Amino acid sequence: MANSKTPSGKPRIGVYVCHCGTNIAGVVDVEDVANWSAEELKDIGVVLSRDNKFMCSSQGQELIESDIKEFGLNRVVVAACSPHLHEKTFRGACERAGMNPFFCEMASIREQVSWVTKDKKKATEKSKSMVAGAVNRVVYHEALEPIKVPINPTTLIVGGGIAGIQAALEIANTGHEVYLVEREPSIGGHMAQFDKTFPTLDCSACILTPRMSEVGMHPNINLLTWSEVENVDGFVGNFDVTIRKKSRCVIEEDCTGCGICVQKCPITVIDDEFGVGIGTRKAIYTPFDQAIPNYPVLDKENCTYFIKGTCRACEKFCATNAIDFEQQDEIINVTVGNIILATGYDLFDARKMPNYGYGRYPNVFTSMEFERLCNAAGPTNGEIVLRDGVTAPKSVAIVHCVGSRDKNHNNYCSAICCMQSLKFAHIVYERTGAEIHNFYIDIRTTAKNYDEFYQRVLDEGTLFVRGKVAEITDVPQNEAEEGKLIVQAEDTLAGLQRRIPVDMVILSVGLEPKGDSDEVAHQFGISCSSNGWFTEKHPKLDPVSTMTEGIFIAGCATGPKDIPASVSQGSAAAARVISYIEMGELELEPVRASVIEEICSGCKICNDLCPYNAIIFIEDKQVTEINEALCQGCGTCVAACPAGAIVGTGFSNEQILAQIEGLMMDFSVPEVV
Amino acid sequence: MTGKPKFAMYWAASCGGCEIATLNMHEKILDFDANFKVVFWPVAMDAKYKDVEAMEDGEILVTLFNGGIRNSENEHIAKLLRKKSQILVSFGSCAIEGGIPGLANLTEMHHFFDTVYTTVSTDNTNNHRPQVEYDMPEGKITIPEFKPVLQTLDQVVDVDYYMPGCPPETHQIAAVIDVLISVVKGEAVLPPKGSFLGVGNSTVCDECGRTRNLKKITEFKRIQDIKKIDPDLCLIEQGILCNGPATASGCESKCPSVNAPCAGCYGPAIGVKDFGARMITAIASVIDAEDPDEIERIMDGIIDPAGTFYRFGLANSMMRTGKASWNGK
């Protein structure tokens, strides 16, 4: 049942095996692979095969170009790194020599062979298989032309923390429109909750709020707080986004932000959101004084009117009649060209470590609770006191790495906890003069001026115990421990167990992906790492892009980072978006699925599968069709079609099967495939 | 005139259904007889292998070969008929894909001999097993040797055309015979070598009259467990594993039109390499669940995956079960 079709023109294939310095050549006998390819694959069409120290160097690329011209090559196989890295490079070289770039195929003998294979003989054989697969495949390649899509200059930014704010301002300042969507009533994110920032001890609000008001007033920024993205359709250059603007019960056009409604509201509740349970708010509230926008939000669950049907005090006192109890959620549809996700992080729930007593012992605080406690705008006006609200602590323990670097919870380092803990130590020292113990695993103070700050805290007399805290207890073993919290830890430097009685414990909890990061990733068609952080297109070289064109990521949504890094990523993502907008149109890989109408039976198996909604059913013909502009070439429908009626450009059955046959070539008994 | 072109039909590992479907063409057989001379057709007439062996190479114009290659006799005759025929047609599911006998490729040879010769229903107290050779006073006698796996016809010899179905539909056979007659008369030309004959371009769904919607499967059911099958709704949407979406059209959707799921006898749509893999990915794509346990529960409703998705195509699947042991003995 062979249905192989020979391509037009006899293939003349050039094979190039890269040493990548010692990256490949250290494990793979590249010369042997090149010679073998020239000899054993010549029947398939290999006319020359070379090995080269760095194929990606200009000298390597020129080699391909001159060979194409001199030897009339019409196919090129480069056995080197992953095509993610250098496919563009080598396609470019082919194009410069007048060849259609899609006649170039890469065999990843670095990522898939040399980096993952110890045995040199096996690695060399594997490389030969990879080359044979690529050579077999490239025979069936076809000339393709890139697809061009226009870029809508409007951008959607999801998340109004410092990364999202930075990105919004950068783009808006170039004159392009931005929709900034924030789930909470105000932008500002976690940074708005902090008192001071390390290592400069700037007042967090003082440096953040000017940026926030700039966003609020910017003519190019459409700020949608208390709003969530409900649906995303489309593709780079042209995303259709549906946003739900939740009802605030406040008419924004009429509200002046005077705050009288908040003042007159008779209901006071614990502020579990912005205030993390420390402090209170009203049933109609703005999360904090400098909130942007400063329109309040009515909390229907606690509002007397919504519970009992009476009160309406806020409505009565509102001078501009801006309270609307009947207000409904609003659905807003926008079309944007690019999207930046800066959705931030959650904090590790310290209750998951019951041995630390958070939730049982009132005077065990989380880092965010302490931030609120020492915040000048917080419930105690910045006074550091125990949970009773009056007693100043005489001794404080600060525990690093709570929920981080812990195989029971999160393996990774949360990056900011060391500096945060040092900052706390400094603030406690400055404001209370209490004795301070920091319990740490390692001190990681790598960024600019961080270690100097550590030295400063050391000089201030904070005591450091190197060891993971085993337990925090209120059960005393002697008189000195009576009425105290006792921190039990192994001091790994002194080699002994310590029990240190303190008045207050601060748990420096780790950063975690947002609880709904998986759903958000799915909604926007990007992926998450196993931990739940959004995955970058390349962790080093493309840290703010994703595998989905037009979707960018910034800030802690991609992993724990400090404020400067988040701001940098916000700027970087904005720069990427601005460059797309300036290009006006984007060339996309012409890897697309299409339906062969005569074969399609209209069974509708594929109709609900497309993540990009590119599949449509034509009722009068009873066949399925694919919108080429929407299709991203993911191949889901190609795999699902039971009739084989959907074909993927660049991934035809012939190409894939030919590659598999090449990969399975038997080296012990060479045979022609 | 040197006489009518010669015709042969042979059955290897098959049930005889293909010949019945062929003979079922009623008066068309007269047309056939007027245009062809049947020289070898064990089901329909007496003939001897040695008569075929005595023929010139290429003497037979067309041979319809049904059944898979199960033993050395099947293989011998396949090679013989290939040599003696100008056109060799792989006829019916078993010859093309292995068919039902090909399911034996899931089991090692000694296991199914155990089943056949030692299970309780068999009266074989001395545990006799067939032997290929046996010395009798009159001399050595032999029987065909059983192969470790069943092979399809084109895994053994070069094949010109394929005609799928279990069995191929009579009206399709008649149509192909008509084409052959036209070719003999010089009124038509043969299709390209390797073509599938008597089969549609699309799949069974294309000929099925049932209403189709977006498919979201939450449970698989067997037809005997359903009180009343909706006669107008797609069977898959009713949770019945119907192979229609993956099966080549040409049968006029016979089974689904009488509330029976398509068994898949016409094999994969043209160009598809592996019927079962296609059907499995298709079914997996429409299971409506995210939770792994829930997916597991739904999948458990597929009682016999191999028998459902590879009922006819196992021997020709990409797995080609047993290929290695075939080469290595």
Side-chain angles (χ1 to χ4, degrees):
Chain A
M1 278 213 263
N3 60 351
S4 55
K5 86 171 186 241
T6 39
S8 53
K10 200 174 147 36
R12 293 183 61 78
I13 306 166
V15 174
Y16 299 88
V17 186
C18 182
H19 296 219
C20 196
T22 56
N23 268 311
I24 296 170
V27 187
V28 175
D29 185 344
V30 283
E31 204 181 323
D32 181 30
V33 174
N35 292 338
W36 177 88
S37 306
E39 193 49 42
E40 296 296 330
L41 304 176
K42 66 173 177 243
D43 291 344
I44 308 171
V46 172
V47 293
L48 67 87
S49 180
R50 305 182 190 279
D51 62 285
N52 187 282
K53 198 141 197 156
F54 286 105
M55 279 309 298
C56 61
S57 67
S58 52
Q59 178 260 341
Q61 294 179 54
E62 281 157 16
L63 181 65
I64 296 178
E65 288 177 56
S66 64
D67 281 352
I68 290 174
K69 287 173 189 157
E70 190 177 335
F71 297 95
L73 302 180
N74 57 15
R75 303 278 193 284
V76 165
V77 167
V78 185
C81 51
S82 160
H84 277 314
L85 261 76
H86 275 303
E87 192 172 58
K88 267 195 180 152
T89 310
F90 298 120
R91 279 183 178 173
C94 292
E95 199 169 17
R96 284 194 295 279
M99 190 197 279
N100 183 291
F102 294 91
F103 284 123
C104 172
E105 173 71 8
M106 286 189 75
S108 170
I109 61 165
R110 193 179 74 170
E111 282 81 349
Q112 294 183 356
V113 179
S114 70
W115 279 356
V116 289
T117 314
K118 279 185 188 151
D119 186 308
K120 289 188 178 188
K121 190 165 168 282
K122 279 186 186 157
T124 304
E125 287 198 353
K126 247 159 112 179
S127 301
K128 289 177 186 172
S129 301
M130 299 288 284
V131 172
V135 165
N136 245 6
R137 182 189 214 281
V138 82
V139 168
Y140 294 97
H141 277 208
E142 292 170 331
L144 302 173
E145 294 303 325
I147 296 170
K148 289 181 176 170
V149 291
I151 300 289
N152 183 315
T154 304
T155 306
L156 170 73
I157 297 174
V158 185
I162 186 59
I165 288 173
Q166 182 71 19
L169 289 172
E170 297 266 15
I171 296 169
N173 285 340
T174 62
H176 297 296
E177 204 179 352
V178 171
Y179 284 89
L180 177 57
V181 175
E182 167 59 49
R183 174 182 279 177
E184 299 299 329
S186 169
I187 55 168
H190 283 107
M191 193 175 165
Q193 293 172 290
F194 302 156
D195 178 44
K196 296 255 190 292
T197 59
F198 56 76
T200 50
L201 299 173
D202 287 313
C203 152
S204 187
C206 309
I207 56 174
L208 175 66
T209 52
R211 295 289 176 96
M212 289 168 56
S213 22
E214 205 183 325
V215 168
M217 311 222 280
H218 207 294
N220 292 332
I221 298 179
N222 304 288
L223 181 58
L224 298 167
T225 59
W226 202 237
S227 300
E228 294 198 43
V229 174
E230 289 237 308
N231 191 44
V232 185
D233 285 334
F235 52 95
V236 58
N238 193 21
F239 291 105
D240 289 317
V241 185
T242 310
I243 301 161
R244 176 178 293 271
K245 191 160 187 248
K246 293 176 279 188
S247 156
R248 292 177 118 96
C249 293
V250 170
I251 304 164
E252 290 175 20
E253 297 78 53
D254 297 337
C255 176
T256 60
C258 69
I260 188 87
C261 53
V262 179
Q263 225 177 72
K264 297 296 179 186
C265 176
I267 300 297
T268 300
V269 294
I270 305 263
D271 179 6
D272 275 327
E273 298 97 25
F274 187 83
V276 288
I278 302 240
T280 58
R281 62 162 170 80
K282 295 295 187 67
I284 186 165
Y285 67 101
T286 51
F288 52 101
D289 291 341
Q290 307 100 313
I292 298 287
N294 62 350
Y295 320 121
V297 167
L298 190 141
D299 165 12
K300 292 180 187 173
E301 269 174 36
N302 289 302
C303 169
T304 314
Y305 172 70
F306 278 94
I307 295 167
K308 293 184 184 157
T310 57
C311 181
R312 304 174 83 117
C314 48
E315 190 185 36
K316 258 171 260 165
F317 286 96
C318 180
T320 56
N321 294 322
I323 304 289
D324 176 8
F325 292 108
E326 309 303 320
Q327 193 181 59
Q328 297 298 310
D329 291 0
E330 195 185 334
I331 300 294
I332 299 168
N333 294 303
V334 298
T335 305
V336 299
N338 294 282
I339 297 174
I340 298 174
L341 300 177
T343 48
Y345 62 93
D346 277 341
L347 288 164
F348 174 74
D349 180 1
R351 287 178 184 84
K352 287 185 187 163
M353 295 180 76
N355 48 330
Y356 287 179
Y358 177 72
R360 276 187 296 134
Y361 303 133
N363 292 322
V364 177
F365 291 79
T366 66
S367 37
M368 190 52 87
E369 284 179 330
F370 185 78
E371 289 282 3
R372 298 307 302 152
L373 199 63
C374 65
N375 194 307
T380 60
N381 299 322
E383 207 178 318
I384 296 167
V385 287
L386 299 182
R387 197 80 69 167
D388 64 10
V390 287
T391 317
K394 292 197 174 62
S395 51
V396 176
I398 301 170
V399 182
H400 297 220
C401 299
V402 177
S404 307
R405 303 184 68 196
D406 181 336
K407 67 177 177 186
N408 297 316
H409 300 288
N410 296 312
N411 268 331
Y412 53 80
C413 166
S414 286
I416 55 99
C417 324
C418 277
M419 283 304 290
Q420 169 183 268
S421 304
L422 295 173
K423 176 183 80 177
F424 291 162
H426 170 78
I427 292 172
V428 172
Y429 161 79
E430 192 179 62
R431 299 198 195 160
T432 67
E435 184 184 72
I436 306 158
H437 282 87
N438 271 43
F439 295 85
Y440 69 100
I441 304 176
D442 296 293
I443 292 286
R444 295 183 169 178
T445 50
T446 52
K448 190 175 180 185
N449 293 330
Y450 283 13
D451 206 63
E452 291 88 326
F453 188 79
Y454 174 37
Q455 299 303 328
R456 174 176 172 183
V457 173
L458 278 172
D459 292 344
E460 285 168 358
T462 292
L463 301 162
F464 285 82
V465 180
R466 185 179 184 278
K468 194 163 168 59
V469 171
E471 189 185 18
I472 294 163
T473 176
D474 63 352
V475 181
Q477 287 185 356
N478 55 49
E479 221 169 284
E481 292 179 0
E482 293 282 352
K484 301 270 186 185
L485 290 168
I486 303 103
V487 182
Q488 164 112 32
E490 184 187 359
D491 185 334
T492 57
L493 293 182
L496 52 86
Q497 286 288 332
R498 286 193 189 277
R499 285 175 63 87
I500 297 172
V502 294
D503 295 329
M504 178 191 235
V505 176
I506 306 167
L507 304 179
S508 216
V509 291
L511 273 49
E512 287 189 340
K514 275 281 185 195
D516 60 354
S517 65
D518 274 335
E519 290 103 272
V520 173
H522 182 73
Q523 187 176 42
F524 289 90
I526 63 168
S527 51
C528 287
S529 67
S530 56
N531 289 322
W533 305 106
F534 293 158
T535 309
E536 309 88 344
K537 187 167 190 179
H538 191 284
K540 296 177 194 70
L541 301 175
D542 213 350
V544 296
S545 299
T546 65
M547 294 305 282
T548 305
E549 278 287 3
I551 310 273
F552 300 91
I553 47 179
C556 286
T558 73
K561 49 185 67 67
D562 57 17
I563 294 168
S566 291
V567 171
S568 307
Q569 285 212 331
S571 292
R576 296 297 306 272
V577 168
I578 293 163
S579 80
Y580 275 14
I581 296 172
E582 293 302 317
M583 283 155 75
E585 64 174 17
L586 201 63
E587 280 194 355
L588 296 184
E589 281 239 340
V591 176
R592 292 290 179 271
S594 57
V595 177
I596 305 168
E597 201 182 296
E598 306 84 72
I599 300 182
C600 176
S601 69
C603 73
K604 292 192 174 174
I605 292 262
C606 63
N607 280 203
D608 200 29
L609 302 179
C610 181
Y612 309 100
N613 298 316
I615 295 180
I616 34 179
F617 193 75
I618 312 292
E619 285 294 338
D620 55 340
K621 287 192 200 165
Q622 287 287 305
V623 292
T624 290
E625 228 175 68
I626 292 169
N627 180 334
E628 200 190 51
L630 290 174
C631 175
Q632 298 279 299
C634 71
T636 305
C637 61
V638 181
C641 177
I646 311 183
V647 289
T649 329
F651 292 89
S652 71
N653 279 348
E654 280 157 349
Q655 289 166 352
I656 292 169
L657 291 171
Q659 183 161 22
I660 293 171
E661 262 184 70
L663 284 167
M664 295 187 34
M665 211 182 237
D666 188 353
F667 293 107
S668 46
V669 191
E671 60 177 4
V672 181
V673 285
Chain B
M1 190 171 161
T2 56
K4 291 182 284 185
K6 290 174 180 166
F7 171 90
M9 185 157 184
Y10 185 72
W11 56 352
S14 67
C15 67
C18 286
E19 356 276 307
I20 291 169
T22 309
L23 291 168
N24 206 21
M25 61 181 147
H26 304 300
E27 64 274 15
K28 179 66 76 183
I29 201 89
L30 299 174
D31 268 3
F32 172 74
D33 184 57
N35 286 285
F36 290 99
K37 178 179 163 59
V38 177
V39 292
F40 180 63
W41 189 351
V43 165
M45 56 172 269
D46 186 32
K48 297 285 180 270
Y49 289 163
K50 64 176 192 298
D51 297 337
V52 183
E53 281 158 6
M55 289 178 188
E56 298 281 314
D57 285 359
E59 191 175 323
I60 303 169
L61 177 68
V62 56
T63 293
L64 305 184
F65 191 105
N66 68 81
I69 308 303
R70 176 74 276 181
N71 61 31
S72 56
E73 180 188 16
N74 300 153
E75 186 176 1
H76 169 65
I77 302 299
K79 286 179 174 163
L80 180 65
L81 285 169
R82 170 67 281 181
K83 222 162 82 178
K84 305 297 176 188
S85 313
Q86 291 173 39
I87 300 167
L88 179 65
V89 181
S90 188
F91 191 85
S93 305
C94 298
I96 299 176
E97 304 184 84
I100 305 286
L103 280 170
N105 288 7
L106 288 170
T107 314
E108 282 180 62
M109 192 162 65
H110 66 94
H111 283 142
F112 52 75
F113 277 141
D114 288 347
T115 307
V116 172
Y117 294 102
T118 63
T119 40
V120 283
S121 62
T122 309
D123 183 10
N124 183 12
T125 42
N126 293 328
N127 196 20
H128 286 306
R129 294 297 173 101
Q131 295 167 54
V132 177
E133 293 176 353
Y134 193 76
D135 284 321
M136 296 285 284
E138 296 86 353
K140 187 182 277 180
I141 58 167
T142 61
I143 59 167
E145 187 182 5
F146 205 80
K147 302 265 183 185
V149 292
L150 181 137
Q151 288 185 295
T152 64
L153 182 61
D154 71 357
Q155 286 167 14
V156 176
V157 295
D158 187 39
V159 166
D160 298 303
Y161 298 109
Y162 300 88
M163 227 187 133
C166 180
E169 285 295 313
T170 299
H171 75 275
Q172 298 280 19
I173 303 171
V176 170
I177 297 281
D178 275 344
V179 171
L180 271 176
I181 292 171
S182 312
V183 170
V184 169
K185 288 179 176 168
E187 292 162 5
V189 288
L190 285 168
K193 185 176 162 158
S195 295
F196 277 65
L197 309 177
V199 59
N201 272 336
S202 186
T203 67
V204 171
C205 299
D206 197 46
E207 298 177 334
C208 176
R210 290 171 181 269
T211 309
R212 295 185 285 268
N213 306 293
L214 291 185
K215 291 170 181 36
K216 290 182 179 295
I217 311 289
T218 52
E219 189 178 12
F220 290 112
K221 296 171 204 150
R222 306 170 90 182
I223 41 173
Q224 61 265 39
D225 298 334
I226 300 178
K227 281 211 184 84
K228 186 170 176 354
I229 296 172
D230 183 336
D232 300 319
L233 180 66
C234 170
L235 291 170
I236 293 180
E237 287 164 47
Q238 299 183 56
I240 300 165
L241 275 168
C242 174
N243 283 318
T247 305
S249 54
C251 65
E252 295 172 340
S253 190
K254 277 232 153 51
C255 299
S257 65
V258 293
N259 279 352
C262 170
C265 76
Y266 258 65
I270 308 297
V272 169
K273 293 269 182 189
D274 192 301
F275 180 93
R278 277 284 164 197
M279 201 56 209
I280 290 165
T281 49
I283 290 295
S285 303
V286 291
I287 286 178
D288 189 25
E290 298 286 335
D291 172 48
D293 292 340
E294 174 68 0
I295 294 169
E296 198 71 24
R297 184 194 65 77
I298 297 171
M299 297 293 276
D300 282 347
I302 304 174
I303 306 297
D304 176 15
T308 305
F309 301 123
Y310 286 100
R311 185 173 303 169
F312 298 97
L314 187 73
N316 193 41
S317 67
M318 289 207 195
M319 296 185 279
R320 297 244 180 118
T321 7
K323 193 185 175 191
S325 65
W326 178 259
N327 290 333
K329 286 273 164 173

